[in-house]
Structure formats: C-alpha cells, structure tokens
Amino acid sequence: MTGSRHVAIIGAGAVGVVSAIEALRDGHRVTLIDPGDPGGEQAASYGNAGWLSSHSVIPPAEPGIWKKVPGYLLDPLGPLAIRWSYLPKALPWLIKYLLSGWTEARVETTAFALRSLLKDAPLLHRKLAEEAGVPELIERNGVMHVFPARGNFDNDLGWRLRRKVGVEWLELDANEMRQREPELDPRYTFGVVVEEAGRCRDPGAYVAALAAHALASGATLVHAKATGFRLDGDRLAAVVTETGEIPCDAAVVAAGAHSKRLTASLGDSLPLETERGYHVMIENPESGPRSSMMVSDAKMVVNWTDKGLRAAGTVEIGGLEAAPNWKRAEILRDHLLRLFPKLPRDIPPSRIRSWFGHRPSMPDGRPCIGPSRVSRDIIYAFGHGHVGLVGSARTGRLVAQLLGGKTPEIPLAPFAPDRFL
Ligand SMILES: Cc1cc2nc3c(=O)[nH]c(=O)nc-3n(C[C@H](O)[C@H](O)[C@H](O)COP(=O)(O)OP(=O)(O)OC[C@H]3O[C@@H](n4cnc5c(N)ncnc54)[C@H](O)[C@@H]3O)c2cc1C
C-alpha cells in the first residue's frame, strides 16, 4: 500500500494540520476538511495552555483518585466539575477512566506509551514552526511546576513514574524559587524545572501558520462538516460532507472531540468523551511569572502568550452540547490573581478574555492512532486529551507512515483504536 494517494483529512486542528504536512512530505495529495478556520476558536488547539511538555506522560486517572473526586466536586474552586444532568451519559466513560488508573502498573504502561509519543516533541515542533516560517512561536527553554510544599511532590506517583521513563528535572527550594519567580505568592515554596520541555507562544496562530504552510505546499481546504464515508467493499471511495462527497483513496479522522460521531458511522463505538476546559487571558498584565508554570494545587497552567497572560485548565464533564459555564473561567482568573498578588483586583473586563473548548479524551489518557476496523484506508488520529498540542508532532508522522504502509517509528499497540472494543 505505497505510492501517492489522495488523502482527505477531517479536522484542521493541530493533529490534522501536522498530518497534512507529513502526508504532503511523503508525496500524497491532501484535502483538509473543516467547517471552521484552521487555528480558529472552535478547536481545542486554539485555546490550550500552549505547553509542549514532553514529560506530560501521566494520565489524569491515578490509583485512589476516586477518593479525591468527592472533595474536588464539593470544592467550588476545585479543578473538576460534573454537569449532573450529563452524568448518566458520561458514566460508562467515567468507569473506564477510573479502571484505567486503578493500579500503578496500568498508569506505568500509559506513561511509557506517552513517553514514546511525546519524547523530542519540542524539537519536532520547533522544526515544523521553522518550516512554516514562524520559528518565534516555539520556545524550548523549559517549564516550571510550583508546589505549596515539597511534601506534595515527594509523595506523588506521577513524578516517580516520570523518573522511571527518563524525565530529568531541577528542584528549587523556597529561596531559589523567590530568585526565579519574585512575583509569585510566597505560599509556593518548592519548584521543579523541566528543561527539556517547551512552549508555544500562540497555539491558534501556530496551527493557522501550519495550515497555511500545508496549503502553500499543495493541500486544498474545504470548508465543510464531514458526516461519514462511502465505502466500496473495504476500500474507501469518498468522505461524505454536508455539502457533497469528496472522492479520495484514504482519510484521516482528526476531528478532535467530534470524532466519535464519525467513527460510530463506521460501526466503531469508541469511548471518546470531552473533558471541557477553559482559559482566561489578561492583556498587558501588571505582573506575572518569568517562566511558564503549572500550579500543582490549582491544576492550572500559566503561560505567556503573544496576546497576554493565559491561565488554562479545569476539567468539566458535560458533553459537547451544553453551553459553557463561565464561572469555571472566573475560577481560573481568581486563582491567577491570588498567585500574583501584584495583579490589580480591578482589571477592567475589556482586558480579560475567556475561552472554552473540548479536550478529546479517551479514558486511559492515550490517543487513538491506527486504522479503523472497517477499512485500512481510514486512519484514526484523535483522543489526545491533555496532550494534543505537544502530541500532534509525532502523531502527524505516524499518520503519514500508516498512509504509506511503512513501519511506524514507535509501537502503536498502546494506541490501538480498538483497545476498548
Ligand atoms: C484548557 C485546555 C488546556 C490545554 N492545554 C494543553 C497544553 O498545554 N498542551 C497540550 O499539548 N495540549 C493541551 N490541551 C489539549 C489540546 O488542546 C488538545 O488535545 C488538542 O488541541 C486536540 O487537537 P485536535 O487537532 O485533535 O482537535 P481540535 O484542535 O479540537 O481540532 C478538531 C478540528 O476538527 C474540526 N471538526 C469537528 N468536527 C468536524 C467534522 N465533522 N468535519 C470536519 N471537521 C470537523 C473542528 O472544527 C476543529 O477545527 C489543552 C486543552 C484544553 C481544553
């Protein structure tokens, strides 16, 4: 199954546009299909925290998390919320989610798998950004995690497993923290710097630039919503959209959290759920961090972007249809004001922007990368959850390798789309 093919890529978020670039590199003809603009606000790839954290290998569910969940849910400022009306629909996914993290061994398996996907990702992104003419958007100078106390870190399974998969870091005591981050609330007395990680200064602009590069390299963009596929036996004949069919030899499903309907149309009922997330962004802030940082107790990333200081995080289980609950974004804003006491309490609303989007999440925190069961012409590339920006670089390469019938550069068994079927 080699040679040039006409590949229709459904979804022009980070995963879709990097897949487009890598498929073009291998000589395929590419049509990108998306009702929205690449890098637009409709995509998770627009509003994420911008972390290119090759060490983000720990899935959200860890052993014993079920004991913490009630506390999170009762805390109005907590990092997790559930829309109770959606609970019956989410329950099968939530059970799989808890089971995936039930034992240390299961979490370790995911950590090794994600490490293989994410290792070198900051460098891969830097090269993609250079190719697209926007090298300034990708920085490779490390990120910081801040903790109220060292104990929060010492007892953490995640950091033990990170060490096991080969992540290295620098530890900072309270004085060193103050030197590095003089504006940070002194309540944070311990820090960890992961130097291998990088960050993106504007994820939406980055995805838009990658898409522009794909188009300049010969791809076509069709503004339409894909609704399904036309098959001829087990071979793909066309992607069906709301505005007509697009004949093609191969397709990539990269529609993020919206991929579930497309795979269901092929009979693959996959447990893909949205972990809804939010960001707030303060334009021209009076204070802030020097590094990009993850705040351990708020479970929130604070990152400088070209448009302002962005705080992103929180998980809300509530499905694709419910309207945003902007209180979740206000919680992030309030955490940010507490973190940097020199930020004024009366920042005018015109300088604060809020955004809401859908993380495409599988219960075990691993994406689906591989062919559909119905046709090897249809490749799945979605479900990257919390690591879709960083994970898009190698995912695009793997998609191209699958399209070309080559041996993938990392083992794909942990990412097999049918692992829950
Ligand atoms: C608050 C928050 C913070 C995050 N922080 C980080 C981070 O710091 N680092 C990181 O690596 N990841 C982070 N993530 C996760 C990351 O943003 C996602 O995993 C990633 O963007 C998913 O990319 P994607 O291309 O799969 O999907 P998306 O970016 O959502 O793109 C999917 C595209 O498919 C299109 N589409 C949908 N349905 C159809 C259809 N039927 N036909 C055609 N097109 C369709 C949509 O319009 C959209 O453009 C964060 C997410 C959130 C919400």
Side-chain angles (χ1 to χ4, degrees), residues 156-171:
D156 193 89
L157 168 67
W159 287 97
R160 258 195 290 130
L161 289 179
R162 283 190 179 107
R163 177 147 355 252
K164 213 165 176 176
V165 304
V167 176
E168 291 179 357
W169 59 80
L170 184 71
E171 297 178 9

Side-chain angles (χ1 to χ4, degrees), residues 19-215:
S19 300
I21 290 172
E22 299 300 342
L24 288 161
R25 206 191 301 289
D26 280 2
H28 299 294
R29 187 154 77 85
V30 170
T31 301
L32 272 165
I33 306 169
D34 198 312
D37 289 328
E41 291 195 21
Q42 81 286 350
S45 300
Y46 168 88
N48 59 65
W51 261 31
L52 301 176
S53 41
S54 34
H55 62 294
S56 286
V57 297
I58 308 301
E62 292 179 31
I65 192 169
W66 58 273
K67 286 186 230 156
K68 294 185 192 159
V69 168
Y72 286 152
L73 294 178
L74 290 172
D75 177 359
L77 297 183
L80 175 67
I82 292 187
R83 296 277 179 113
W84 296 109
S85 57
Y86 188 73
L87 184 61
K89 274 198 176 158
L91 204 55
W93 182 89
L94 283 167
I95 291 169
K96 289 186 180 71
Y97 169 89
L98 291 176
L99 290 176
S100 299
W102 202 258
T103 64
E104 190 169 324
R106 288 183 199 171
V107 177
E108 185 174 321
T109 302
T110 293
F112 275 99
L114 285 180
R115 184 64 172 165
S116 69
L117 185 70
L118 304 183
K119 201 164 182 258
D120 303 331
L123 179 61
L124 296 178
H125 279 290
R126 176 72 194 193
K127 286 184 178 161
L128 283 164
E130 279 169 6
E131 213 182 304
V134 288
E136 70 283 358
L137 290 184
I138 303 297
E139 289 184 359
R140 292 200 299 139
N141 43 16
V143 297
M144 188 186 282
H145 294 248
V146 301
F147 301 81
R150 189 180 174 115
N152 308 101
F153 164 85
D154 282 337
N155 303 328
D156 193 89
L157 168 67
W159 287 97
R160 258 195 290 130
L161 289 179
R162 283 190 179 107
R163 177 147 355 252
K164 213 165 176 176
V165 304
V167 176
E168 291 179 357
W169 59 80
L170 184 71
E171 297 178 9
L172 306 177
D173 64 20
N175 283 336
E176 290 166 316
M177 284 275 287
R178 287 288 73 70
Q179 277 171 2
R180 286 217 189 204
E181 293 295 343
E183 313 253 301
L184 179 66
D185 183 342
R187 181 172 108 65
Y188 293 92
T189 60
F190 181 71
V192 167
V193 176
V194 183
E195 289 178 329
E196 67 170 51
R199 70 186 200 97
C200 178
R201 293 167 55 121
D202 187 339
Y206 177 50
V207 172
L210 293 179
H213 174 56
L215 297 183

